[in-house]
Amino acid sequence: MIISSPATQFNPRVFALGLIVAGGLVILLLALARVQLFHAAHFDQREEAQSLRRIRVPSTRGEIRDRHGRVLADNRPSYDIVIYLEQLPRESKKFDVVRAAGQTLGTLSRALNRPVTLSDRDVRIHYARRRPIPLPVWQDVPVGTMAAFVERASTLPGADLIVTPVRQYPFGSLAAHALGYVNRDRAASDDEALEQYYYYQPDTVGKQGVERSLDEWLRGSPGGRTIRVSPGGTMVGEVAEKPAERGHTVTLTLDVRVQQLTEAALAAAPLRPGQPLRGAAVVLEVETGEVLALASVPGFDPNLFHPGGAAEPVRALFADLNRPMLNRAYGGLYAPGSTFKPITLLAALESGRSHVEDTVTCGGSLPIGNRSFGCWKREGHGTVNGMEAMRRSCDVWYYQKGMATGVEAIERMARQFGLGQPTGFDIGTEYAGLVPSAAWKRRERGERWWDGDTAQLAIGQSFLLVTPVQMAVVAAALANGGTVLRPFLVKRIETAAGALVRETKPEVRGRVNVSARNMELVRQSLLGAVGEADGTAHRAHLPGLRVAGKTGTAEFDLSEGGQRRRINRAWFIGFAPYEKPRYAVAVMLEEADGGGYTAAPVAQRIFAGLFGREPVEVAGGGGD
């Protein structure tokens, strides 16, 4: 019997299994060949993309200049001591970044005799999210610290001295509320960071004034760096770089000289001891609406807000009860007091119900309904006509003529001057103010309008609210014969290379629809208020210069520290020279003795500076 060997015996199951395995191997080989030969470039690109990281590089902000090209805001170098976490020494395969950073930071601290404020959490977050970017240890260090670093620590692994641009304001606090300030953009878009950049370095962003309103022009365009990193996230090389584009240059209508003299005039306001200096002043060009000076006190130094600065002075600014961060020129609302009387007089003359020849006997008060409404001069002014009532600011004359004119006519005239609505000012958040009416009081207060309300409105109180910028526009309209201009601060915007991007032209917002005769009568009454010795605005008088203007004193109940007290808002509005007006001025002090005593002397100092004269002591004047 012959038995065949197992090695030569045919097994169909084994054969089938062998075919399956062989076929699988063939398919695998073909797939590998396909990947190697036809899709190599695709996978090379994927590997390249996985190892590449884009870093956003912030731009340098553009300059802000005054009308004559003097730099109000630019950038200076900040010398920062930083560490690169990925360059720290690795003592073992198990790298502890916090421990390594702590050793380097300790060495730096001892070498430079400076405390380190970075926490372990700061180090971990930076290592996880922004590893190739330098981690600042100290920013904006002084020259002595830089020298010590170069001498004692420049060879320390991972430590470096870098230069970054920091916003600076060469004139310090000058025009701070107009310029504003900048800070780090901590609200950068997460979507942008994730979609465009792996590592996001934020810009500085404008927080107030011109810096904020023109931020998109001043900020410029960011640049970028593309780096290659290892699988562990460590940078191994730089692939490409796109430089950031510098922001545009902004030229303002401000004049540094006029701003300086305006702020100096406010600082010299004749206040009584204990009265805080809080107020604003605005200087406009009468024919264009250009803002030559915009001052608000108290002020602040925008240089305090740079990233390496101390936090305590900044916190103190925002905690200060005097509110130095408030721009009172267009962000504060106040009753204008008797500076509103030119509008009341125009409304009265245009209504035909009153004339400047009309006389009223002022005994110091006027009974209206069941109340007595007092004049600022308690003993009264005697018998006065319309011109005398403006010059001496007699409230009783305006009570009577205001009621005869009616609230509707006064309201219409105020709105023709642009009150109760934004002026269109081109920076910041501007308040519209309030011109009350019978319909407004019924709607908002659920009450009827009384004769006493009209009497109070006629002298610039009641519910009336304005900003100093609005009253500067009123003064300019009175000066130029009734043209209401849009005030503006931004003269032009140019690229860093000097190409014109935008230029602002004067803009007429409206006309005061009154007769030329009535307008001139009101202007003459304002001339007398300054020029005559018994005029309440006489302390704004300058020998040899014809100044026209009106003072005002508005009573206000102030609540501070749980107590209420009554204070006076002091005002002046005016223009000069009378024959061919060039400048309109508005001055407001939140707490003072009266417009004639405190605001008028401030205005005199401003006019003196504008026309190259010296302020003088003027006898007489004062009061409302």
Side-chain angles (χ1 to χ4, degrees):
M1 177 182 222
I2 300 174
I3 300 174
S4 61
S5 171
T8 60
Q9 185 177 8
F10 176 75
N11 190 328
R13 292 182 179 180
V14 174
F15 182 74
L17 180 61
L19 288 177
I20 293 172
V21 172
L25 290 173
V26 170
I27 292 172
L28 179 61
L29 290 172
L30 290 174
L32 288 174
R34 180 171 175 269
V35 168
Q36 292 287 334
L37 298 176
F38 301 106
H39 292 278
H42 169 73
F43 286 101
D44 284 345
Q45 290 173 357
R46 285 189 59 186
E47 189 276 334
E48 181 83 4
Q50 290 174 353
S51 67
L52 296 181
R53 300 287 186 265
R54 292 191 67 202
I55 300 175
R56 184 183 190 276
V57 178
S59 58
T60 302
R61 291 182 76 83
E63 290 184 348
I64 303 175
R65 302 172 179 171
D66 88 332
R67 65 192 299 116
H68 300 298
R70 285 167 287 204
V71 176
L72 298 171
D74 62 356
N75 308 284
R76 63 172 176 81
S78 169
Y79 295 92
D80 306 337
I81 295 174
V82 301
I83 58 173
Y84 290 88
L85 297 180
E86 63 182 12
Q87 297 178 11
L88 296 178
R90 296 173 177 264
E91 297 178 354
S92 64
K93 292 183 179 180
K94 188 177 180 181
F95 179 61
D96 185 347
V97 67
V98 172
R99 181 181 176 187
Q103 292 175 347
T104 299
L105 292 172
T107 303
L108 279 174
S109 179
R110 290 187 296 272
L112 305 182
N113 194 27
R114 292 174 67 97
V116 175
T117 58
L118 290 173
S119 67
D120 292 351
R121 183 174 181 272
D122 294 332
V123 173
R124 287 195 184 94
I125 291 176
H126 192 91
Y127 188 73
R129 301 179 183 176
R130 296 179 287 274
R131 194 178 309 176
I133 300 174
L135 172 61
V137 182
W138 298 291
Q139 294 178 285
D140 205 17
V141 298
V143 174
T145 303
M146 284 191 291
F149 176 84
V150 172
E151 180 181 351
R152 306 170 196 164
S154 58
T155 59
L156 190 65
D160 199 2
L161 179 68
I162 66 172
V163 182
T164 57
V166 167
R167 197 65 161 167
Q168 73 168 353
Y169 302 86
F171 289 95
S173 62
L174 187 76
H177 293 91
L179 298 175
Y181 65 95
V182 300
N183 215 328
R184 287 291 182 198
D185 184 7
R186 305 196 185 280
S189 168
D190 290 336
D191 291 339
E192 181 183 6
L194 291 172
E195 293 177 11
Q196 297 189 39
Y197 302 99
Y198 196 90
Y199 302 111
Y200 191 99
Q201 291 179 288
D203 295 302
T204 54
V205 60
K207 295 291 186 179
Q208 193 184 67
V210 172
E211 293 279 24
R212 179 177 179 178
S213 61
L214 296 183
D215 186 65
E216 63 175 311
W217 301 103
L218 288 165
R219 192 186 295 197
S221 299
R225 293 170 56 214
T226 303
I227 62 172
R228 180 175 285 109
V229 298
S230 68
T234 302
M235 177 177 167
V236 295
E238 186 168 313
V239 177
E241 180 176 7
K242 175 191 173 185
E245 295 181 12
R246 186 184 181 91
H248 291 2
T249 298
V250 173
T251 299
L252 304 181
T253 61
L254 282 183
D255 186 317
V256 163
R257 183 186 73 85
V258 178
Q259 183 73 28
Q260 287 172 328
L261 66 89
T262 300
E263 293 190 15
L266 279 171
L271 301 174
R272 286 188 290 110
Q275 286 181 327
L277 178 59
R278 298 189 297 234
V282 181
V283 181
L284 297 183
E285 277 196 344
V286 165
E287 296 299 330
T288 65
E290 294 184 26
V291 179
L292 299 179
L294 187 143
S296 178
V297 292
F300 64 94
D301 186 351
N303 290 302
L304 292 174
F305 290 87
H306 69 85
E312 185 54 39
V314 174
R315 282 196 293 266
L317 284 174
F318 286 98
D320 192 333
L321 295 179
N322 286 316
R323 302 178 71 189
M325 301 305 296
L326 172 64
N327 190 335
R328 290 165 165 85
Y330 59 78
L333 289 172
Y334 311 93
S338 294
T339 57
F340 187 76
K341 286 177 179 175
I343 293 175
T344 302
L345 181 56
L346 268 176
L349 297 178
E350 286 294 311
S351 72
R353 300 171 188 169
S354 301
H355 305 85
V356 291
E357 297 84 6
D358 295 346
T359 59
V360 167
T361 299
C362 170
S365 64
L366 179 71
I368 303 174
N370 60 358
R371 287 184 57 191
S372 178
F373 288 75
C375 182
W376 72 268
K377 190 174 183 180
R378 294 183 178 180
E379 64 271 25
H381 289 91
T383 301
V384 293
N385 62 25
M387 300 296 278
E388 293 168 327
M390 180 70 77
R391 185 174 76 243
R392 300 165 65 187
S393 200
C394 175
D395 292 333
V396 170
W397 195 94
Y398 280 91
Y399 290 152
Q400 292 197 14
K401 298 306 176 182
M403 289 187 293
T405 303
V407 59
E408 293 84 3
I410 298 175
E411 179 203 359
R412 284 195 301 271
M413 188 61 67
R415 292 193 179 280
Q416 285 192 56
F417 276 92
L419 300 184
Q421 54 199 295
T423 65
F425 194 44
D426 51 358
I427 68 164
T429 300
E430 182 187 14
Y431 289 113
L434 174 63
V435 178
S437 65
W440 171 87
K441 190 180 181 189
R442 200 163 43 245
R443 182 178 66 252
E444 299 296 328
R445 298 294 183 99
E447 301 173 5
R448 61 165 291 186
W449 186 272
W450 302 96
D451 284 344
D453 293 325
T454 305
Q456 287 288 89
L457 177 61
I459 65 166
Q461 296 214 162
S462 180
F463 306 101
L464 184 65
L465 292 172
V466 300
T467 69
V469 165
Q470 286 177 322
M471 294 309 292
V473 172
V474 169
L478 290 168
N480 63 34
T483 300
V484 180
L485 296 161
R486 181 179 74 87
F488 64 98
L489 188 65
V490 180
K491 196 171 183 69
R492 62 180 177 272
I493 301 173
E494 300 165 303
T495 67
L500 183 64
V501 175
R502 192 181 88 189
E503 188 169 18
T504 308
K505 300 294 185 182
E507 179 183 333
V508 176
R509 294 177 55 236
R511 287 279 307 176
V512 181
N513 187 23
V514 297
S515 71
R517 178 181 181 277
N518 286 337
M519 177 62 78
E520 186 55 30
L521 285 172
V522 171
R523 295 174 81 254
Q524 288 176 8
S525 71
L526 299 178
L527 183 64
V530 176
E532 299 295 330
D534 62 348
T536 59
H538 188 56
R539 296 191 183 194
H541 172 67
L542 277 169
L545 179 69
R546 296 193 7 151
V547 177
K550 182 72 188 79
T551 55
T553 307
E555 294 182 337
F556 180 75
D557 289 327
L558 179 67
S559 296
E560 281 185 337
Q563 296 183 347
R564 293 177 67 87
R565 59 190 178 93
R566 178 157 289 190
I567 63 173
N568 292 328
R569 309 288 204 207
W571 282 89
F572 174 92
I573 65 169
F575 57 88
Y578 182 81
E579 298 79 9
K580 192 174 181 181
R582 292 174 58 192
Y583 307 112
V585 171
V587 175
M588 185 280 303
L589 294 164
E590 284 190 0
E591 185 173 349
D593 288 343
Y597 292 113
T598 51
V602 172
Q604 191 216 53
R605 285 181 172 273
I606 294 173
F607 282 121
L610 287 169
F611 291 96
R613 299 165 182 262
E614 289 294 324
V616 296
E617 290 288 336
V618 177
D624 184 42

